[in-house]
Amino acid sequence: MTLQRDDFEYAGLNSRDDLQVEMGNVVLPSAPAMAEQVTDIPALYGNQFNGTDFTSRTISIPVSIYCADNQDAFNQIMHNLSGLLLSDDPSDTGKEYPLVFGFEPKVTYWGHITAISDPAPINTGMYDMTLTITFVQSDPRATLPQVETPLKNGLNTITVEGTARTAPVIQVVPKRALKYIGFNLNGGQFGLGPENPDDQDTAVAPYTEVVDDPMGSMAMWSNDANVISGMKINGKYVYQGASQIKTDTRVMMIALSSGNKRYGPMPTTTNDTWYGPAYRYTGMTNSLTDWRIRTGVHHIKYSGTHNGRAIGQVAVLLLDANGETIGRFGIVDHGGGARPQAFLQLTKPGGTFTAGDGIHKDIYYGCGPSKAFTNKADAKIKIKKGTSTKTVTKYRRSRGKVKKVSVKETITNYAHVVNKEETDALSSAWLMLDMTKIGHTYTWSITQYDTSTGQPYKDANKYLIVHGTYVDVSKKYDTALGGIGSVMLKKPITEDIEKIHYTNPFLSITNLHIWKANSVPTNNPTYVATANAEIVMDCEEDQVTVNGALVSPVWSTDFPKLKPGVNSLTLTGDIDDAKITLKYLPRLL
């Protein structure tokens, strides 16, 4: 929504439409609160100046409420105003939100509400009132829209708007494995990997790339019945239908035919059967004893009377050299609209992940953070199942007498089902698995990503962000990794049987990278990233991540800042043909 000049927006709330107030003249403060730091030194003429503390900035926003003589309307607006601007939720403690004024829509102030003054009447006896909302910025700087610009290896000249220093965020996707990467900026240095040139020369690659499939083609995937016969999952299943590549986003999804998803015909043997396409990747020629895999699954469950009841499953299967399942990672729906769950499991070759079978291990099986869970009241749904005839006895009066007659009546039959409409972090989720097996130790992480920005989420209270280590002490799961499979399945629900239209979940698989884990002496420096890894050097958060995981060693004088005006930024590393992007927020004092 475009802001009018005399409107403001706070935390996504429009002053006129959501808060139902009219903004008055806002006078922005010329500077944040300042405190001079000095030390009195005996026998010294004057004192010693130690600098100035720049603390918070306070913005007073006068607003008016016009309700004439309608006290009920005024009371409702006041309750609404307090309820939207203030919060008693402990999880909101410490959070700050964006404030944008219509008279400078490109500038964002981040802060929090500290006071809403008592209303003062404009006209005596009426409910036209004025009051003041007090907004305080912990960081007194405002921000302009984010800038994204490509960089090249070597010297880059960056011209920064604004009047304050700002922190750069540099995203690098290299074409080959990297021994080190870093940059120099305004006298500061920041990098990842060995800083010493001799150590850089002797760095050893901990992984050798085996598979790099960005899901751009189905050429290396086969659904031949003999090829996929060993790919087992839990429960009953029928592999049929087809998958395709969604070329604009490069994901493998259910193939479409005239707008319909090609799961294949509904099984007639039982209603409790998974069905849909299964494929095996044919580009892996050697089995790996020690390995690393990085891959993603995407699941969107649609809301609605019938959509919420849909049952889908998307999974990447780990296979041995014979094509039998030895592990799986994915997302699964449950009946009646119950919330989805994510799973990461290991099994002996050919296992079906059946509860209590004693041959599989649940490394992770859950719904994600409890704070993301919402549950509507269960909705009872009647689904028409057709009609039937029934003979009933009725009594009719004829010529003064009552006669008993048999009459056939048409009766409408219904199936009674429930839609729980439960949602959580996985109702619309893109999850990335990064899992390494070295010896009998599995190190793993599952990270939820933002589908809009392609960046990992950081708030574990709202999104699935889990990691851990599992040691296979009994060597139960020591089978070498020999292949990969994909399944995208659904289960029939009453709506399928009675031919009630609904939307099945969107299921897809994104990316597939597999590496051989090399044996590296503990005293040798190792490469910091594999080819096509995403490296983010974030001077805003003071951290470096590789594929979303925090890493070290990081070397720096401090976390360098961009200054207003012209900056010289020099990148170093084997990144001549890498994709490099600089992101920053210009700031205003």
Side-chain angles (χ1 to χ4, degrees):
M1 179 185 297
T2 302
L3 280 177
Q4 301 298 316
R5 185 172 181 81
D6 56 350
D7 290 347
F8 70 87
E9 185 177 276
Y10 172 71
L13 301 170
N14 182 273
S15 57
R16 190 180 304 273
D17 297 333
D18 300 313
L19 304 180
Q20 297 175 281
V21 300
E22 292 189 17
M23 184 179 75
N25 291 330
V26 175
V27 179
L28 296 174
S30 57
M34 292 179 278
E36 180 188 29
Q37 300 297 319
V38 297
T39 302
D40 290 329
I41 299 177
L44 176 68
Y45 183 78
N47 53 33
Q48 179 175 305
F49 175 59
N50 298 318
T52 301
D53 288 341
F54 294 90
T55 59
S56 61
R57 180 201 299 261
T58 300
I59 300 176
S60 297
I61 309 171
V63 298
S64 301
I65 300 171
Y66 294 98
C67 294
D69 60 350
N70 191 333
Q71 183 179 12
D72 290 340
F74 172 75
N75 291 341
Q76 184 58 48
I77 289 175
M78 287 301 297
H79 289 312
N80 184 58
L81 189 68
S82 298
L84 291 174
L85 294 182
L86 308 178
S87 174
D88 61 354
D89 186 344
S91 66
D92 289 337
T93 301
K95 290 183 180 179
E96 295 195 313
Y97 298 95
L99 170 68
V100 179
F101 293 107
F103 54 79
E104 52 173 8
K106 292 185 178 181
V107 179
T108 302
Y109 301 89
W110 287 85
H112 54 282
I113 302 296
T114 61
I116 302 174
S117 70
D118 292 336
I122 298 173
N123 300 310
T124 304
M126 304 297 283
Y127 288 93
D128 297 334
M129 303 282 181
T130 63
L131 52 88
T132 300
I133 299 171
T134 303
F135 174 85
V136 175
Q137 292 180 269
S138 299
D139 182 337
R141 295 169 297 179
T143 61
L144 294 170
Q146 178 174 289
V147 174
E148 293 190 20
T149 184
L151 299 178
K152 65 180 185 298
N153 196 11
L155 178 63
N156 297 265
T157 301
I158 312 297
T159 302
V160 177
E161 292 185 78
T163 58
R165 296 189 309 154
T166 188
V169 177
I170 299 177
Q171 180 185 42
V172 182
V173 179
K175 293 295 185 182
R176 60 189 62 81
L178 289 182
K179 298 180 179 181
Y180 71 98
I181 185 172
F183 66 92
N184 299 311
L185 172 63
N186 294 328
Q189 295 182 340
F190 184 39
L192 172 66
E195 185 177 6
N196 187 301
D198 291 335
D199 290 336
Q200 293 170 0
D201 291 339
T202 58
V204 180
Y207 304 105
T208 301
E209 185 176 90
V210 175
V211 172
D212 175 13
D213 189 339
M215 300 299 173
S217 167
M218 292 293 295
M220 301 300 291
W221 295 86
S222 172
N223 62 348
D224 181 271
N226 294 322
V227 173
I228 64 176
S229 61
M231 292 167 38
K232 297 180 181 178
I233 62 169
N234 64 314
K236 300 174 183 177
Y237 57 90
V238 176
Y239 292 152
Q240 58 185 28
S243 295
Q244 70 179 43
I245 298 299
K246 193 175 191 305
T247 54
D248 56 340
T249 54
R250 291 206 166 193
V251 301
M252 183 195 297
M253 56 176 279
I254 302 288
L256 298 176
S257 177
S258 300
N260 297 316
K261 297 175 180 176
R262 294 178 57 188
Y263 285 101
M266 182 175 65
T268 57
T269 53
T270 174
N271 294 336
D272 192 32
T273 300
W274 292 104
Y275 66 101
Y279 284 77
R280 182 177 172 184
Y281 185 75
T282 60
M284 190 171 172
T285 56
N286 295 316
S287 297
L288 304 175
T289 302
D290 294 330
W291 46 264
R292 178 185 176 190
I293 181 172
R294 178 173 165 79
T295 190
V297 293
H298 187 197
H299 167 275
I300 300 176
K301 190 176 182 71
Y302 300 98
S303 62
T305 301
H306 302 291
N307 300 339
R309 291 175 23 82
I311 305 174
Q313 176 183 173
V314 56
V316 175
L317 306 182
L318 308 182
L319 310 175
D320 67 5
N322 298 319
E324 293 196 307
T325 307
I326 58 173
R328 66 172 185 164
F329 160 66
I331 302 174
V332 62
D333 286 310
H334 298 288
R339 55 181 170 167
Q341 290 183 300
F343 53 81
L344 175 60
Q345 301 166 298
L346 299 175
T347 187
K348 291 184 177 180
T352 59
F353 309 98
T354 304
D357 62 7
I359 66 169
H360 87 274
K361 169 68 179 178
D362 291 334
I363 292 180
Y364 179 82
Y365 206 117
C367 300
S370 59
K371 289 186 178 180
F373 175 57
T374 60
N375 185 15
K376 295 182 180 180
D378 291 358
K380 296 181 179 179
I381 303 169
K382 287 171 59 176
I383 296 178
K384 186 176 179 180
K385 295 187 63 176
T387 60
S388 61
T389 58
K390 180 180 180 181
T391 301
V392 297
T393 300
K394 291 192 175 182
Y395 295 90
R396 295 178 177 173
R397 184 178 294 278
S398 177
R399 298 180 181 180
K401 295 182 179 181
V402 177
K403 292 185 177 181
K404 184 170 69 173
V405 296
S406 296
V407 179
K408 288 187 176 181
E409 287 188 347
T410 300
I411 298 174
T412 301
N413 299 312
Y414 293 93
H416 297 272
V417 297
V418 172
N419 180 21
K420 297 180 181 180
E421 198 81 22
E422 296 177 357
T423 60
D424 66 3
L426 304 181
S427 297
S428 179
W430 177 23
L431 302 182
M432 293 298 297
L433 169 70
D434 195 331
M435 187 176 190
T436 301
K437 175 190 177 292
I438 297 179
H440 304 294
T441 300
Y442 294 83
T443 305
W444 61 275
S445 68
I446 301 174
T447 305
Q448 188 167 350
Y449 273 62
D450 186 328
T451 56
S452 298
T453 65
Q455 297 299 310
Y457 287 114
K458 297 180 181 179
D459 189 349
N461 291 317
K462 292 183 178 180
Y463 304 102
L464 181 58
I465 305 170
V466 291
H467 60 87
T469 299
Y470 168 66
V471 180
D472 181 19
V473 177
S474 61
K475 304 180 183 179
K476 185 183 292 187
Y477 310 113
D478 203 27
T479 306
L481 178 67
I484 295 295
S486 75
V487 293
M488 284 175 273
L489 313 172
K490 64 165 289 182
K491 266 189 180 180
I493 57 178
T494 304
E495 284 83 345
D496 290 291
I497 299 169
E498 304 304 331
K499 296 180 171 53
I500 304 295
H501 176 75
Y502 69 96
T503 302
N504 281 297
F506 177 81
L507 309 174
S508 72
I509 294 173
T510 67
N511 306 309
L512 175 62
H513 289 96
I514 302 174
W515 299 268
K516 175 186 175 183
N518 300 321
S519 177
V520 179
T522 56
N523 59 344
N524 275 40
T526 59
Y527 282 49
V528 298
T530 58
N532 299 306
E534 180 194 52
I535 305 164
V536 179
M537 296 180 285
D538 189 340
C539 293
E540 181 73 39
E541 297 290 337
D542 294 352
Q543 66 184 25
V544 181
T545 60
V546 176
N547 289 328
L550 286 171
V551 294
S552 62
V554 174
W555 44 269
S556 67
T557 52
D558 57 9
F559 290 91
K561 298 292 191 291
L562 291 163
K563 63 183 181 181
V566 178
N567 297 259
S568 295
L569 187 154
T570 302
L571 280 158
T572 59
D574 190 6
I575 51 175
D576 284 342
D577 52 0
K579 180 181 178 181
I580 312 171
T581 305
L582 168 67
K583 302 178 184 181
Y584 64 90
L585 285 169
R587 296 183 182 273
L588 298 172
L589 291 173

